[in-house]
Amino acid sequence: DHGLSEADPEVRAIINKEKERQFKSLELIASENFTSRAVMEAVGSCLTNKYSEGLPGKRYYGGNEYIDELEILCQMRALAAFHLDENKWGVNVQPLSGSPANFEVYTAILNPHDRIMGLDLPHGGHLSHGFMTAKRRVSGTSIYFESMPYRLDESTGLVDYDMLEKTATLFRPKLIICGASAYPRDFDYPRMRKIADAVGAFLMMDMAHISGLVAASVVADPFEYCDIVTTTTHKSLRGPRGGMIFFKKDPVLGVDLESAINNAVFPGLQGGPHNHTIGGLAVCLQHAQSPEFKAYQNQVVSNCRALARRLVELGYALVSGGSDNHLVLVDLRPLGIDGARVEKILDMASITLNKNSVPGDKSALVPGGIRIGSPAMTTRGFTEKEFTAIADFIHEGVQITIEAKGLASGSKVQEFLKFVSSPDFPLRDKVSN
Ligand code: PLP
């Protein structure tokens, strides 16, 4: 039995290149992080070999003595990491990732074509919250359920709760979803709870982006107000790629969430759990209870504020004017450029972030903004000083993009990207320095 270098040098070489890319670049994608060696050791372990369909003590395969021990440990750590009373809350740690976790919740508590309301994707929501366009039901969630998104108030960049309340009163959804992929502020959970109660809807929070911040209590606690909380495990929480679903143990709206959700995960939508991921997740969730983890999450938020402050000083328009969490959303439209062009130029300078739509955008393909997150570089030890410098680097990239746009004047985004990628792009030296 050989190690990877001997068994498959081709794959080894690709992994080495990706590792180098990850460590050489400034990683500012808000949904990414660097997990620990301990987590990666568990993920790369023999746990991957085992089938264990079912739950601890109720498996469809033999040989699960240790897997049961591991999954129970992971569940207990998950409840402890989020300060939950095991008599009131339960958790399923088997979801393969964030999107499956969400679909499992919908499968558990809704009938096909029941109505849901989540934040619209162009306003910061996630695909799995029911995204659809005028022409197409894009997400499976909008194919199987009737989706009526709520939106931001474009003048403030905050969720338009008044409009959400009015729409919910007419649309009468069975489920309202809090949570986002690109929203720099906290949700107003008491207000969302009130709206859900008034129309008889379940209230779910998808805390994928901010679960590390929730565990460290540096943002508002969604568990106080929501019936169900889903999350990915690989973003601010800094674990392996995976998902979790937390549910209230007491019935809600006459539904036993525990059995409905557990059955929706398996046999509803999944087969065998990824035990190597559950192992890595258990490691991450123990760390999430440590003082160092709390200090890290505080630093994530401070770094993001330092970045926001400097960007505002440099004259940038931020959606909602700033940030309370780990990400900022920059509106580039006042500068006459878009997020796709800036993303490309910054990528050439090994600064990795992503284009993002901002409220009021006409095109999702050429969005007017960029999203910048602080979790990954905070893991690498960056503080406010380095994040202030990052704002200056981004500013330089934006200036170069404006200059390059002048040089490629009139070109569409695709032509622009081809132009800046060509060897004789005149600003190449400026970008790669
Ligand atoms: N929910 C939110 C809010 C997200 O931002 C994401 C991913 O970015 C997901 C769910 C989906 O997670 P996954 O990519 O693991 O399916």
Side-chain angles (χ1 to χ4, degrees):
D1 193 16
H2 299 290
L4 185 58
S5 303
E6 267 178 84
D8 194 333
E10 202 176 351
V11 168
R12 178 76 260 174
I14 294 171
I15 294 175
N16 288 350
K17 282 189 284 186
E18 171 58 11
K19 188 170 176 187
E20 195 179 331
R21 186 199 67 77
Q22 288 188 10
F23 282 85
K24 272 194 171 164
S25 62
L26 287 178
E27 182 52 74
L28 300 170
I29 294 186
S31 50
E32 292 185 9
N33 212 331
F34 299 99
T35 193
S36 65
R37 246 176 72 194
V39 166
M40 288 205 283
E41 230 174 89
V43 171
S45 72
C46 65
L47 295 169
T48 198
N49 296 336
K50 190 72 196 95
Y51 248 111
S52 55
E53 284 173 355
L55 285 166
K58 292 176 272 182
R59 304 286 189 185
Y60 288 81
Y61 290 80
N64 274 305
E65 183 185 352
Y66 304 118
I67 297 295
D68 279 5
E69 189 181 336
L70 176 73
E71 188 165 343
I72 291 168
L73 181 69
C74 188
Q75 290 170 345
M76 290 300 126
R77 288 182 177 178
L79 297 176
F82 291 95
H83 325 286
L84 300 170
D85 177 347
E86 63 182 276
N87 295 312
K88 295 192 176 144
W89 285 87
V91 61
N92 189 306
V93 296
Q94 296 186 7
L96 301 176
S97 218
S99 305
N102 288 343
F103 207 80
E104 282 151 11
V105 171
Y106 311 147
T107 304
I109 62 173
L110 305 175
N111 290 313
H113 302 294
D114 272 352
R115 295 175 195 159
I116 64 165
M117 291 185 77
L119 183 61
D120 209 1
L121 180 103
H123 280 214
H126 188 255
L127 270 171
S128 63
H129 299 176
F131 181 57
M132 54 195 282
T133 65
K135 288 197 195 125
R136 203 159 70 86
R137 292 178 178 235
V138 180
S139 157
T141 310
S142 60
I143 296 174
Y144 298 109
F145 305 99
E146 301 305 320
S147 168
M148 170 70 79
Y150 59 89
R151 316 197 88 203
L152 305 183
D153 174 337
E154 291 186 15
S155 63
T156 61
L158 301 175
V159 169
D160 189 341
Y161 293 102
D162 292 336
M163 186 53 85
L164 164 58
E165 186 166 16
K166 270 191 209 146
T167 314
T169 308
L170 295 170
F171 187 63
R172 304 204 78 77
K174 201 161 164 193
L175 170 68
I176 298 179
I177 305 163
C178 317
S181 301
Y183 187 57
R185 303 291 182 179
D186 254 341
F187 274 75
D188 183 346
Y189 301 113
R191 181 90 198 262
M192 300 282 288
R193 177 79 263 172
K194 224 171 118 206
I195 297 170
D197 284 346
V199 299
F202 293 97
L203 185 63
M204 163 183 144
M205 165 64 175
D206 175 353
M207 62 170 182
H209 262 259
I210 57 160
S211 53
L213 298 127
V214 172
S217 306
V218 297
V219 290
D221 182 3
F223 290 93
E224 273 184 46
Y225 295 95
C226 299
D227 307 309
I228 298 163
V229 178
T230 62
T231 187
T232 54
T233 51
H234 46 274
K235 300 185 167 93
S236 58
L237 192 60
R238 219 166 58 185
R241 302 199 86 76
M244 291 191 279
I245 305 171
F246 295 87
F247 44 81
K248 275 191 179 152
K249 281 210 164 160
D250 283 342
V252 178
L253 298 173
V255 177
D256 173 0
L257 295 178
E258 177 161 21
S259 66
I261 287 171
N262 285 337
N263 285 326
V265 174
F266 174 84
L269 288 161
Q270 293 187 182
H274 288 193
N275 294 309
H276 53 303
T277 302
I278 293 173
L281 180 54
V283 174
C284 148
L285 290 167
Q286 189 191 39
H287 184 59
Q289 297 171 56
S290 68
E292 301 85 66
F293 187 82
K294 191 167 168 62
Y296 162 71
Q297 299 295 350
N298 271 310
Q299 192 66 54
V300 165
V301 172
S302 302
N303 285 348
C304 193
R305 292 210 173 122
L307 173 78
R309 210 175 307 121
R310 183 69 182 143
L311 287 169
V312 169
E313 270 169 25
L314 291 166
Y316 287 91
L318 306 186
V319 174
S320 86
S323 172
D324 292 328
N325 57 26
H326 65 301
L327 68 83
V328 294
L329 210 50
V330 185
D331 187 350
L332 297 164
R333 292 170 307 181
L335 300 169
I337 50 171
D338 58 80
R341 288 174 165 88
V342 171
E343 179 193 282
K344 176 69 187 175
I345 292 283
L346 289 174
D347 210 14
M348 291 168 78
S350 298
I351 298 177
T352 316
L353 45 67
N354 63 287
K355 58 180 174 284
N356 214 98
S357 46
V358 282
D361 259 346
K362 298 283 171 288
S363 159
L365 285 177
V366 189
I370 47 173
R371 187 183 68 162
I372 317 169
S374 60
M377 293 318 293
T378 306
T379 297
R380 298 271 298 276
F382 277 27
T383 63
E384 293 84 348
K385 186 167 136 254
E386 287 84 13
F387 270 88
T388 305
I390 285 178
D392 290 331
F393 293 151
I394 290 171
H395 182 54
E396 261 184 73
V398 167
Q399 298 307 313
I400 294 169
T401 312
I402 293 170
E403 229 179 296
K405 198 177 170 223
L407 293 169
S409 74
S411 68
K412 300 228 163 51
V413 171
Q414 284 316 320
E415 290 161 36
F416 175 88
L417 299 183
K418 230 159 109 195
F419 169 67
V420 301
S421 303
S422 74
D424 29 67
F425 170 51
L427 297 172
R428 179 161 284 277
D429 288 347
K430 226 168 162 180
V431 177
S432 42
N433 281 334

